[in-house]
Coordinates of all heavy atoms in Angstrom, one line a residue:
A1191 N 8.6 19.6 6.5 CA 8.1 18.7 7.5 C 9.2 17.8 8.0 O 10.2 17.4 7.2 CB 7.0 17.8 6.9
R1202 N 14.4 2.0 15.7 CA 15.6 2.1 16.5 C 15.9 0.6 17.0 O 17.2 0.1 16.9 CB 15.5 3.0 17.7 CG 15.4 4.4 17.4 CD 15.0 5.4 18.6 NE 16.2 5.4 19.5 CZ 15.9 5.7 20.8 NH1 14.7 6.2 21.2 NH2 17.0 5.8 21.6
G1308 N 14.2 10.1 0.4 CA 14.0 8.7 0.1 C 14.4 8.3 -1.3 O 15.4 8.7 -1.8
S1403 N -1.9 31.1 11.9 CA -1.1 29.9 11.8 C 0.2 30.1 12.6 O 0.8 31.2 12.8 CB -0.7 29.7 10.3 OG 0.1 28.5 10.1
L1422 N -1.5 15.1 14.9 CA -0.4 15.3 13.9 C 0.6 14.1 14.1 O 1.1 13.9 15.2 CB 0.3 16.6 14.0 CG -0.7 17.8 13.7 CD1 0.1 19.1 13.5 CD2 -1.5 17.6 12.3
C1437 N -1.2 17.7 23.6 CA -0.1 17.2 22.8 C 0.3 15.9 23.3 O 0.6 15.7 24.5 CB 1.0 18.2 22.7 SG 2.4 17.7 21.6

Side-chain angles (χ1 to χ4, degrees):
R1202 294 171 67 193
S1403 187
L1422 298 187
C1437 188

